[in-house]
Amino acid sequence: MTLLLLIEQGLNGLQLGVMLFLMAAGLTLVFGIMDMINLAHGSFYMVGAYLTATFAPVFDSFALAVLAALPLAALVGMAVEVVALRTLYRREHLDQVLATFGLILFFNELVRIVWGPQPIFLQPPSWLAGTVEIIPGVPYPAFRLAIIAVGLAVAVFLYLLITRTRTGMLIRAGASNREMLGALGVDVKRLYTLVFGLGAALAALAGAMAGPVLAVQVGMGESVLILTFVVIVIGGLGSVRGALVGALLVGMVDTLARALLPTVLRTMMPPSQADGMGASLASMTIYILMAAVLAWKPRGLFPAHA
C-alpha cells in the first residue's frame, strides 16, 4: 500500500469518525441527561436522509434541503419524546430497550409506506461534486471533505453550547441532579424535550450528509446505530468529548483495518484467503478496541460522571 493511498484511507476514517460523532453526540446527550437508552436514534438518521432527499428536488439545493429537514426531524423527535418516551424515564432500561425497538419497527414501516421500499440515490450538490487535491497526487472528494468540516463545526458548536451558555448549564445540571434542578424551578420536562429534539436533529444531519455517500433506504439507521453504541461505550456514557474521541478512534481503526489487513495477509497466504480473512478480522477490530479500552478504563475514556 502506497503512502498516498494510506493518506486517502486516513481521510476516509476521519470522515466516518465525524459521521459517527454526529450520531453519538445526540445519543450520549439523551442518555447522560435522561438516563434513556434510545434504540430508535438510528430512525432519526433515516428520517433526516429521507427528508433531505424529498426537499432536494423541491428547492433544487442540497443545502436548503438540509436546512429544511433538520427542524422537521427535531419536531419529530420532540413529538416522539412527548408521546412515547416520557413515561419511560422511571422505568427499567430493559423496558426502554423494548419500547424503542418497537419505535424502530414503526418508523421503518412508516417510511416504507410514505416513500416506498426502493432505495433513493441522493446526488451531492454540484459545487461539491468534484475532487480537491489536498496534497499533490491525492485527489479527494470535495463532499467528503465537507462532511468532515460539518462534523468538526458541530463539535465546536456543542462545546460552546454546553460550556458557555445558560442552556448548557441547565443540561449539565440536569445530568448531575435532575431533582435539584426541578426544585429550583426549571421545567425539566421541557428541557428533556428540547435535548431530545437536539439529539434527533444531530442524527438527521448525519443521515442527510450520508445520503449522497450511501443509498437512502429503509433500515439504514440500524447498522450505524451499532457503531454509535460502540463509540459511546469507548468514549464514556454521557460525555460529548468522549463521543468525539471515541468516534474518531472507531472511524480510523475500522477504515484502516479494512484497508490494511487484507494487504498484510496477502504476504502470508493466497490472495483469495487473505481477502476473506482480512475482511473478517477487520470487522472485529472495533470490538477488540472496545474490549481493550474497557479493560483499561471500565467507564470509558471520558465518562461524564467520574
Side-chain angles (χ1 to χ4, degrees):
M1 177 173 290
T2 66
L3 177 61
L4 297 182
L5 187 56
L6 187 61
I7 293 173
E8 182 179 358
Q9 292 301 321
L11 288 172
N12 287 338
L14 181 59
Q15 179 251 308
L16 175 60
V18 297
M19 289 283 294
L20 291 175
F21 168 70
L22 292 175
M23 285 285 291
L27 190 58
T28 200
L29 277 176
V30 169
F31 182 85
I33 296 173
M34 306 177 187
D35 196 27
M36 162 69 70
I37 298 179
N38 178 26
L39 294 186
H41 195 69
S43 297
F44 302 123
Y45 172 89
M46 176 180 65
V47 168
Y50 270 98
L51 289 175
T52 302
T54 301
F55 288 131
V58 174
F59 296 117
D60 196 25
S61 168
F62 179 81
L64 290 178
V66 173
L67 291 177
L70 294 188
L72 283 178
L75 288 175
V76 170
M78 289 188 284
V80 168
E81 190 274 337
V82 171
V83 174
L85 301 182
R86 184 167 287 182
T87 59
L88 296 175
Y89 295 140
R90 303 293 182 180
R91 303 287 290 273
E92 297 289 335
H93 284 161
L94 179 59
D95 296 335
Q96 298 172 0
V97 167
L98 292 174
T100 53
F101 180 75
L103 285 174
I104 293 176
L105 302 179
F106 169 79
F107 275 108
N108 284 347
E109 291 304 316
L110 180 63
V111 165
R112 188 175 284 110
I113 291 170
V114 175
W115 282 282
Q118 298 301 321
I120 299 174
F121 297 96
L122 183 59
Q123 296 299 320
S126 58
W127 50 282
L128 290 175
T131 59
V132 176
E133 196 164 299
I134 303 173
I135 59 176
V138 185
Y140 195 73
F143 186 76
R144 289 180 180 266
L145 288 176
I147 293 175
I148 295 173
V150 168
L152 296 178
V154 169
V156 173
F157 164 75
L158 288 177
Y159 170 77
L160 295 176
L161 173 69
I162 292 174
T163 61
R164 303 294 177 87
T165 67
R166 184 176 184 274
T167 301
M169 178 187 67
L170 294 178
I171 289 174
R172 286 182 281 120
S176 300
N177 194 326
R178 71 189 72 177
E179 288 80 9
M180 180 60 71
L181 186 65
L184 292 174
V186 176
D187 189 341
V188 176
K189 289 184 178 180
R190 185 175 66 175
L191 178 65
Y192 281 8
T193 302
L194 292 176
V195 170
F196 199 90
L198 174 62
L202 291 174
L205 177 59
M209 301 304 291
V213 178
L214 309 170
V216 179
Q217 58 187 340
V218 177
M220 63 184 291
E222 276 81 333
S223 58
V224 74
L225 183 67
I226 296 173
L227 290 177
T228 303
F229 275 113
V230 172
V231 165
I232 292 174
V233 170
I234 290 175
L237 297 175
S239 170
V240 175
R241 178 177 60 164
L244 177 60
V245 174
L248 294 179
L249 277 175
V250 169
M252 295 296 290
V253 168
D254 183 68
T255 302
L256 292 177
R258 293 180 189 278
L260 291 175
L261 282 178
T263 303
V264 173
L265 291 175
R266 283 177 188 172
T267 64
M268 309 175 189
M269 59 184 66
S272 59
Q273 296 180 13
D275 291 342
M277 183 174 292
S280 299
L281 291 175
S283 64
M284 298 166 54
T285 52
I286 57 171
Y287 303 105
I288 295 173
L289 172 65
M290 180 176 67
V293 169
L294 292 180
W296 174 40
K297 288 194 170 185
R299 295 175 61 85
L301 295 175
F302 302 101
H305 309 291

